[in-house]
Each structure stands twice: as C-alpha cells, then as structure tokens.
Amino acid sequence: MLHTGRHFLQIPGPTNVPDRVLRAMAAPVIDHRGSEFAALTAEVLDGLRAVFGTRGAVVIYTASGTGAIEAAFVNTLSPGDRVLIFETGYFSNLWRQVASSFGLEVDYVPGDWRHGASVDDLEARLGADDRRSIKAVVVVHNETSTGVTSGVADLRRIMNRLGHPALLMVDTVSSLASMDYRHDEWEVDVTACGSQKGLMVPPGLSFNAISEKAIAAGRQAKLPKQYWDWTEMIRQHRRGYFAYTPATNLLFGLHEALAMLQEEGLPQVFARHDRHAEATRAAVRAWGLEIVCANPREYSSSLTAVFTPEGHSADRLRRTVLDQFDMSLGTGLGQLADRVFRIGHLGSFNDLMLAGTLAGVEMGLRAAGVPHREGGVTSALRVLAPEPVKAPASID
Ligand SMILES: Cc1ncc(COP(=O)(O)O)c(C=O)c1O
C-alpha cells in the first residue's frame, strides 16, 4: 500500500531522530585524532555524565546496547563468579544469556514479567549469601518488553543495609534520558545504555557509566576482553580520544541530542515522559484493554505494553496498523509474543505525536476487529489538555 506523509515510528526504540540531530550528522567526517574531535568528545562525555547522574567515568562504545552489557561483565568479573539477575522480562534474559556465555554462574530470580525486581527477594538472596559469593546484582531499570520499572534506589538500600559487597549493574537502555536516573546517588557500579532510545540518536553507540568500585574490581577481573576493555578507553577518553576508530558522525548526532536535552532541562524531559505515559494509560483503560505492568508504582514512562483480548492476535493488530496507517508498534517479545503490543512514547515526542499515535491504535483496533470500547483517544486528550481551572467567582 502506498503511504503518504510521515511514517510513525512508535516502537519503544529505536526512536524518532529529531531533524536537528539528523542535520548535525550530515557533516564531513573529521580527523578522530585531531583537536576538533577531542573537544567534541569532551563535550559529549560531559553531557553524558549529566544524563547518567555521575561525576565518574563514562565509556562510549561503537556498538548497540548489548555491547555495553558484555562490557559490564568482562571488565569486572572472572569465570565462575556468581551473578544475581532479576527476571523482569526479555531483556533480563539477555543479561542472563550474556553472563552464561562467559561462564558466569547465574542465579536467576524468577519473575512474572508483570512486576519489577523484588526487594524482598534481594534481601533473602543476599542475606543467605554468608560467604559473599555473589559478585554482582543485575537489574533492568525499565524492562522494555513489559513496560515495568524496578526501584534501583530501593535495591541499593537493601545491599547497603546488609553490607553486601556485590557490584550493582543496571540496564538503562530504555530509561536513560526519559526517566529519572542517578548513577552516583543510587551507588550503581556499572550502568549500561544505548544511543537509540531516550537519547534520540540512531542505533550504534552504547555506554557504560562506571563507579570507582567497579574500576577497582576490574583490576582482579579475569574474563577475556580486548575490544570491551575499558581501561584503555578511559585513558583515551581523558584526552578526548578513543582506543579504536570512533563512530564520528553518530557522535555529532549525540552532541546535538545532548544539547537538546540540556535546553529542555532533564526534569522537564522526565515530566514530559510521565505525562505522555499517563495519557497513554488513560487511553488503554478507556479501550478496556489490560496494561501488562501490574503495579502502578512500577509503570514505565517510556513505553506502555498492552495485552490484546484472549484469542486476538497482537501481531495481526500491529500488521493492520502498519499496513493501513503506516505506524509501527512494538511487538510482543518472548513469552508475550502475539499477546502484547507496545506503544513507545519516548525520545523526540510531543502531544500531537502522541494523539496521532493513539488515534492510530484506536483505528487499528477497529480495523482489525479487536473488541474494545471507543473513546480512548478522547480520554488521553483530557490528560493532555485538561479543562482550564475556573477562576473563583468574585465576591462583590
Ligand atoms: C532494556 C534493554 N536492554 C538491552 C537491550 C539490548 O540492546 P541492543 O538491542 O541495542 O543491543 C534492549 C534493546 O532494546 C533493551 O530495551
């Protein structure tokens, strides 16, 4: 089918890349060992430190998010080390797979894909670890397959209360620059992220934010590494350079995206995401559909995952929306395949884009014959544009 106008890319990442970022990337490649490049790297690292909430080391890899996950492990751990990973969904499973393929021993804390990591489970697991054999605790801050968040600060509080020395590793691939995140304040040891979601840059860059404790752990780490070895990268980054040829033009884009985030202000960026998520949930409830996230305190602000009614294929709905209205929605992943569709509302986004997105879903529900109530879009519009507060009547 021929489509006119603009495609709506409403998967939960890669996200829409703003024109400003696209234009910044459309520039001649520069010498990555020259002074202009060194100044660019310094500014990009400063901007990244602000979004990670850290004053410590940040490393930039030419890779997707999985590269940063692999880097987190190989730089800090040794074969046979135990890692505790919370099952939150498809992406916690990715961490488990990466850990297993490096010969790490994984304690996978079972989850139901509708709740975040449980502090009670953490307390029980770490409390039972008298020999302190667990070397790292891994949690996905925002599980992109389910739209469920985990309370990183609460998990850290438990680790501190028990005086457990394990490293805390956090995946922020779909939360950074969309939701409040504080690498230093929450005492995270390694944060892993990618460029293609809240950071509004095409896929291809990934990052580790690294605590001093993680750097110290790295001195004993025996897992094999070369490309991911962060020691040489940190040394080169200090001077504005990379250990290998960097993705120069993606860095131009990231520089522009970080400037945009700074102009809007991170608190405003987070509030915008919160508001769009709330409006989306209002639409889903009005349609009479079920949100995957079962605990309102754990709602994601960057995406909403929605069950289609029993017996109705979520993939057929997504196909209808794509074919008829030229909008991409996120697919159900792993055990949620064909049962769930995901609405991405993160990155470069505004009220009218959200209204269009939700209109596309509502039209798709009709066109695909998925049972629902009408009026979801109207409910969302009420959140986006509440009626003005009436001025109190004058008393004279
Ligand atoms: C939470 C989370 N972790 C890890 C990944 C893997 O990142 P990538 O596909 O960029 O390698 C993703 C990808 O969407 C993700 O959403």
Side-chain angles (χ1 to χ4, degrees), residues 45-345:
L45 286 171
D46 275 350
L48 283 174
R49 272 191 282 269
V51 287
F52 278 106
T54 184
R55 299 162 77 88
V58 172
V59 167
I60 305 172
Y61 294 108
T62 305
S64 76
T66 309
I69 293 173
E70 184 160 329
F73 287 137
V74 297
N75 279 287
T76 55
L77 300 175
S78 299
D81 278 353
R82 263 176 93 193
V83 295
L84 189 77
I85 303 178
F86 284 95
E87 179 183 15
T88 47
Y90 185 84
F91 292 105
S92 65
N93 199 43
L94 172 66
W95 281 81
R96 174 166 77 155
Q97 283 171 347
V98 176
S100 299
S101 47
F102 279 98
L104 298 169
E105 196 189 312
V106 180
D107 294 7
Y108 201 47
V109 185
D112 66 356
W113 291 42
R114 301 198 67 179
H115 293 86
S118 147
V119 287
D120 295 338
D121 284 349
L122 180 67
E123 184 152 23
R125 299 277 185 146
L126 293 187
D129 182 29
D130 297 332
R131 292 173 38 230
R132 302 298 195 230
S133 63
I134 295 171
K135 299 299 177 206
V137 172
V138 173
V139 65
V140 178
H141 183 213
N142 184 68
E143 176 53 73
T144 323
S145 59
T146 61
V148 179
T149 62
S150 286
V152 178
D154 293 340
L155 297 169
R156 166 48 81 186
R157 219 167 285 126
I158 298 290
M159 294 174 75
N160 286 353
R161 180 140 56 75
L162 297 174
H164 199 289
L167 297 171
L168 177 58
M169 299 184 179
V170 181
D171 177 329
T172 61
V173 171
S174 60
S175 59
L176 196 84
S178 300
M179 284 178 253
D180 191 17
Y181 186 73
R182 307 171 189 208
H183 176 90
D184 284 0
E185 191 181 317
W186 297 344
E187 298 173 62
V188 178
D189 294 298
V190 188
T191 301
C193 192
S195 55
Q196 73 271 25
K197 302 194 192 243
L199 288 170
M200 308 182 289
V201 175
L205 296 176
S206 60
F207 318 97
N208 280 156
I210 309 159
S211 73
E212 284 297 326
K213 184 174 157 186
I215 289 174
R219 294 191 195 106
Q220 326 296 329
K222 298 203 170 44
L223 281 178
K225 56 193 155 294
Q226 173 60 40
Y227 184 75
W228 306 113
D229 191 341
W230 64 34
T231 44
E232 181 59 12
M233 284 293 256
I234 291 172
R235 204 175 69 79
Q236 293 276 351
H237 278 1
R238 273 196 206 109
R239 302 163 47 239
Y241 301 118
F242 282 63
Y244 306 101
T245 308
T248 314
N249 290 49
L250 286 176
L251 293 167
F252 291 157
L254 179 58
H255 184 267
E256 191 67 21
L258 289 166
M260 291 175 69
L261 289 168
Q262 202 178 12
E263 284 162 24
E264 185 176 355
L266 285 177
Q268 288 73 20
V269 171
F270 303 149
R272 166 165 61 82
H273 283 80
D274 292 346
R275 209 169 130 265
H276 287 159
E278 194 194 331
T280 303
R281 291 190 297 269
V284 175
R285 287 192 195 102
W287 290 324
L289 301 182
E290 191 178 353
I291 295 168
V292 173
C293 180
N295 179 356
R297 284 199 310 279
E298 297 176 333
Y299 281 147
S300 165
S301 286
S302 60
L303 78 132
T304 303
V306 184
F307 285 109
T308 43
E310 200 64 40
H312 291 270
S313 161
D315 286 345
R316 191 166 160 271
L317 168 68
R318 286 189 320 103
R319 229 176 8 254
T320 302
V321 171
L322 182 59
D323 290 349
Q324 296 198 17
F325 309 114
D326 198 20
M327 177 167 78
S328 295
L329 296 169
T331 183
L333 293 168
Q335 66 189 45
L336 299 179
D338 208 24
R339 295 170 57 210
V340 156
F341 65 95
R342 294 173 300 144
I343 305 170
H345 33 75

Side-chain angles (χ1 to χ4, degrees), residues 345-358:
H345 33 75
L346 72 165
S348 174
F349 205 49
N350 63 29
D351 289 9
L352 288 186
M353 291 165 85
L354 179 64
T357 299
L358 297 174

